[in-house]
Amino acid sequence: MTFRNGLASLLRPEDSVLVLIDHQPYQLANVNSHEPQMVINNTAGLAKAAKAFGVPTILTTVIAERGGLLFPQITEVFPGQEVIDRTFINTWEDRKVVDAVKATGRKQLIIAGLWTEICVAMPAIQARGEGWDVTVVTDASGAVSVEAHQVAIQRMIAGGVNMMTWLAVAAEWQRDWARIDQAVALTKVITEHAGGSGIAYLWEQQLLNTPVPR
């Protein structure tokens, strides 16, 4: 196995492309590996982080006519963008999706979706085998059981796929807080979607802006 380490192995916004797969009502109804609202929150946070860093994001569903539309928390981040609807369970067998990814010219492929064991694992394993640098965002994905999620992660790791959480992806894109423009945008995402960290930041701002009593 080729180990993923060294500075060059870290994610870079200019080399990243994000694919969000099948965040739809039908799939969410049987997500049991995570609290469903947390999956929605984390995926929205990931989508907003991608937009903040200018990372191209491909949106795709499977038979949306029956499974439902992509969560509005995602499509609202990319108003007017086409959502590619597929019949293939494996996204990486859909030529339109693959062509859209290739058109970005990026090689760091980041994937999140429902369900982890099926609609995430299949494209991740195939793309990795074809030479892509693949990262799966585990907490913006979900499976029908905790076991299914964990086994899928083990299977993908064995295939050379990298695993991260959404906030770790955002931090790796940021890399340096001196990148002020991105830092301001990322701070807004953290405030909205990073739970206690966002609340702590708002509290910090409150304290900094509270006059010292005389």
Side-chain angles (χ1 to χ4, degrees):
M1 177 183 295
T2 300
F3 290 98
R4 184 190 176 91
N5 53 33
L7 183 61
S9 72
L10 300 182
L11 297 179
R12 299 171 296 280
E14 66 272 17
D15 292 332
S16 298
V17 54
L18 174 65
V19 181
L20 297 178
I21 301 172
D22 303 351
H23 290 92
Q24 299 170 253
Y26 176 83
Q27 283 84 340
L28 187 69
N30 198 27
V31 165
N32 296 292
S33 59
H34 297 71
E35 198 281 311
Q37 180 56 38
M38 187 64 71
V39 175
I40 297 171
N41 173 78
N42 294 346
T43 307
L46 177 62
K48 290 178 181 179
K51 186 171 185 178
F53 287 98
V55 173
T57 302
I58 312 302
L59 309 178
T60 182
T61 52
V62 62
I63 314 181
E65 184 179 76
R66 297 208 300 266
L69 301 176
L70 209 63
F71 302 157
Q73 290 89 341
I74 299 172
T75 53
E76 286 169 1
V77 179
F78 308 101
Q81 180 171 320
E82 178 191 7
V83 177
I84 301 172
D85 195 40
R86 318 177 319 277
T87 58
F88 280 107
I89 296 174
N90 176 10
T91 299
W92 213 244
E93 290 186 74
D94 188 288
R95 196 74 254 156
K96 193 171 183 181
V97 175
V98 176
D99 287 346
V101 172
K102 287 183 176 179
T104 68
R106 292 34 178 2
K107 288 297 286 184
Q108 290 187 325
L109 175 61
I110 303 168
I111 296 174
L114 306 179
W115 297 313
T116 320
E117 69 274 38
I118 299 172
C119 298
V120 172
M122 283 195 278
I125 290 169
Q126 181 182 347
R128 182 69 192 95
E130 294 175 358
W132 292 79
D133 179 356
V134 184
T135 293
V136 164
V137 187
T138 59
D139 62 348
S141 303
V144 300
S145 68
V146 173
E147 179 182 8
H149 188 72
Q150 291 175 340
V151 170
I153 289 173
Q154 291 169 357
R155 181 185 178 206
M156 287 186 283
I157 290 174
V161 178
N162 184 42
M163 298 293 146
M164 294 178 69
T165 55
W166 84 268
L167 200 52
V169 170
E172 214 153 287
W173 282 336
Q174 177 66 40
R175 199 79 62 82
D176 184 350
W177 289 117
R179 297 171 179 169
I180 300 299
D181 291 344
Q182 291 87 355
V184 170
L186 178 58
T187 298
K188 186 175 188 299
V189 178
I190 289 173
T191 301
E192 294 174 348
H193 295 281
S197 297
I199 297 302
Y201 172 77
L202 293 174
W203 182 37
E204 177 187 50
Q205 296 307 300
Q206 175 195 333
L207 296 177
L208 289 172
N209 288 284
T210 300
V212 177
R214 292 183 179 276

